Amino acid sequence: MKRYFKREAESDLGEGVAFLEITDGWPSRQVEIYGETYRWADEAHNEWLADQPFEVMELGDEHEIQAKEFEEVWQEALT
């Protein structure tokens, strides 16, 4: 089962927003946006992919988004 989430993020690029796809309890795709900079990751390109299971990520119902919103951001990140 896949679920999608959006939350605040922080990295060496500053403050931003992270979009995560969780599949069977683990991150499978992720996009982080810091201003004009996008970082994306999937299971084959996992340098920026979160490596913690869903249950420790502190993501609640308030962070959950629709698949369509995630897919739009994913497509933007890949261009």
Side-chain angles (χ1 to χ4, degrees), residues 19-34:
F19 294 81
L20 295 106
E21 175 187 73
I22 305 294
T23 304
D24 298 327
W26 287 90
S28 51
R29 292 189 293 169
Q30 180 173 328
V31 176
E32 295 180 7
I33 305 171
Y34 301 97

Side-chain angles (χ1 to χ4, degrees), residues 2 6-7 9 12-13 19-21 23 25 28 31 35 38 41-42 47-48 60-61 63-65 67 76-77:
K2 294 182 189 241
K6 175 183 176 182
R7 70 172 184 194
D12 58 320
L13 298 174
F19 294 81
L20 295 106
E21 175 187 73
T23 304
S28 51
V31 176
Y38 285 73
D42 59 20
E47 180 180 2
W48 306 113
D61 292 339
H63 298 107
E64 195 155 6
I65 61 173
E76 286 178 32

Side-chain angles (χ1 to χ4, degrees), residues 30-61:
Q30 180 173 328
V31 176
E32 295 180 7
I33 305 171
Y34 301 97
E36 301 280 323
T37 303
Y38 285 73
R39 285 185 175 169
W40 65 270
D42 59 20
E43 292 171 333
H45 307 90
N46 61 9
E47 180 180 2
W48 306 113
L49 189 62
D51 61 355
Q52 298 176 325
F54 173 74
E55 66 258 8
V56 301
M57 297 183 89
E58 299 180 5
L59 294 169
D61 292 339

